Amino acid sequence: MKFGILVNEGPYQHQASDSAYQFAVAALAKGHEIYRVFFYNDGVNNANKLTEPPQDDRNITRQWSALAAAHNLDMVVCVAAGLRRGIKAEILAPGFNISGLGQLIQAGIEADRLVVFGD
Amino acid sequence: MSGTQAGEGGNSKVKRFMIVNRKAPYGTIYALEALEVVLIGAAFDQDVSLVFADDGVYQLKKGQQTKDIGQKNFSPTYRALGDYDVEKLYVERESLQARGLAPEDLLVPVRVLGSTELSVLMEEQDVVLSF
């Protein structure tokens, strides 16, 4: 199956991004395709490469970047939501790209299922 | 319902998108940013409908005044949705009643549906985006 994933919450404050990541890992392991991961609302903060959690905690941003590199994932950060929160190209972690909300609608059109992770 | 003919957005597919609004308009940013999704969905010529449930019914309340909290009153946008061919607005009856509201308190005409009817409608969608 072809999945789209929408992440609407930032890292650490909320489990949404962890759950979305674990869902993506599980789906890929089962041989499913991830059409796109779209980051919206505070979810854009997942793309911040300045993220630096304590040593014994997971680095959510780095996890996403690694997953994207391993599976050639298309990870899109909403430009308007990002600008509002200071997420710009210069602080984008590897694998993330900035684009418009149209990419979310496109994911809804092209994917078999669009799964929302939020509050 | 994929496969329907395209409009101006150049998409060959039209899908049914339902945006579910569950939060009050100003305590968080969800309502405002959900509205952005609605407008882009309409710009892509998709079949977009909106549901207002839980505190989301407050998004449509008449007479919103936001000056004192220093935020923009974006509620007039709901009245402009018709210009974008977004005409399917559903409000959950139980949420409305629990908050002492009636359809006359809302700033746009809506269809009031019970949660059971709404769940049937949700089942028919291709994409449900919940905010």
Side-chain angles (χ1 to χ4, degrees):
Chain A
M1 190 173 275
K2 210 193 294 180
F3 286 106
I5 294 176
L6 173 61
V7 182
N8 284 340
E9 297 295 337
Y12 306 105
Q13 170 90 2
H14 203 288
Q15 199 181 327
S17 182
D18 288 289
S19 299
Y21 172 78
Q22 286 152 15
F23 177 87
V25 169
L28 290 164
K30 288 268 184 190
H32 297 293
E33 182 189 337
I34 307 285
Y35 178 78
R36 175 172 296 141
V37 185
F38 193 87
F39 296 85
Y40 194 49
N41 297 147
D42 271 359
V44 299
N45 290 313
N46 288 290
N48 188 344
K49 75 173 176 190
L50 303 175
T51 298
E52 207 176 313
Q55 293 281 328
D56 58 353
D57 199 357
R58 74 245 184 259
N59 187 319
I60 295 176
T61 300
R62 213 173 288 160
Q63 283 180 335
W64 278 117
S65 290
L67 193 67
H71 298 274
N72 200 22
L73 277 192
D74 184 20
M75 301 199 301
V76 177
V77 178
C78 172
V79 59
L83 283 177
R84 196 175 247 143
R85 296 163 176 86
I87 302 298
K88 303 178 181 186
E90 52 263 46
I91 60 158
L92 224 47
F96 291 92
N97 292 292
I98 293 177
S99 190
L101 264 181
Q103 299 292 311
L104 170 62
I105 302 300
Q106 202 65 45
I109 295 170
E110 298 300 334
D112 299 313
R113 293 277 191 285
L114 184 59
V115 189
V116 184
F117 293 87
D119 189 36
Chain B
M1 177 187 129
S2 47
T4 318
Q5 260 313 312
E8 295 163 50
N11 292 291
S12 53
K13 292 184 209 164
V14 176
K15 282 198 173 181
R16 279 173 289 196
F17 282 73
M18 176 177 273
I19 315 300
V20 183
N21 296 286
R22 300 173 290 121
K23 308 278 169 65
Y26 302 104
T28 62
I29 201 168
Y30 298 107
L32 176 63
E33 289 192 329
L35 203 46
E36 301 286 338
V37 175
V38 170
L39 297 177
I40 300 294
F44 273 63
D45 299 314
Q46 299 300 299
D47 181 357
V48 180
S49 61
L50 281 80
V51 169
F52 299 86
D54 300 343
D55 277 352
V57 299
Y58 287 126
Q59 294 178 25
L60 296 181
K61 179 79 177 62
K62 275 181 190 162
Q64 296 180 26
Q65 294 175 14
T66 58
K67 198 168 142 278
D68 288 350
I69 55 166
Q71 293 184 37
K72 188 179 162 191
N73 177 4
F74 58 89
S75 66
T77 311
Y78 296 107
R79 247 181 317 209
L81 287 178
D83 300 341
Y84 298 88
D85 291 323
V86 177
E87 277 153 357
K88 283 172 279 193
L89 277 64
Y90 306 105
V91 173
E92 195 206 36
R93 179 175 295 119
E94 292 86 343
S95 303
L96 208 55
Q97 285 175 347
R99 288 160 184 81
L101 295 171
E104 306 84 73
D105 298 312
L106 307 180
L107 43 80
V108 281
V110 298
R111 268 189 73 192
V112 179
L113 297 175
S115 59
T116 314
E117 296 164 286
L118 262 180
S119 68
V120 172
L121 215 52
M122 277 183 190
E123 189 70 34
E124 293 170 356
Q125 304 300 312
D126 296 306
V127 181
V128 178
L129 297 175
S130 169
F131 290 97

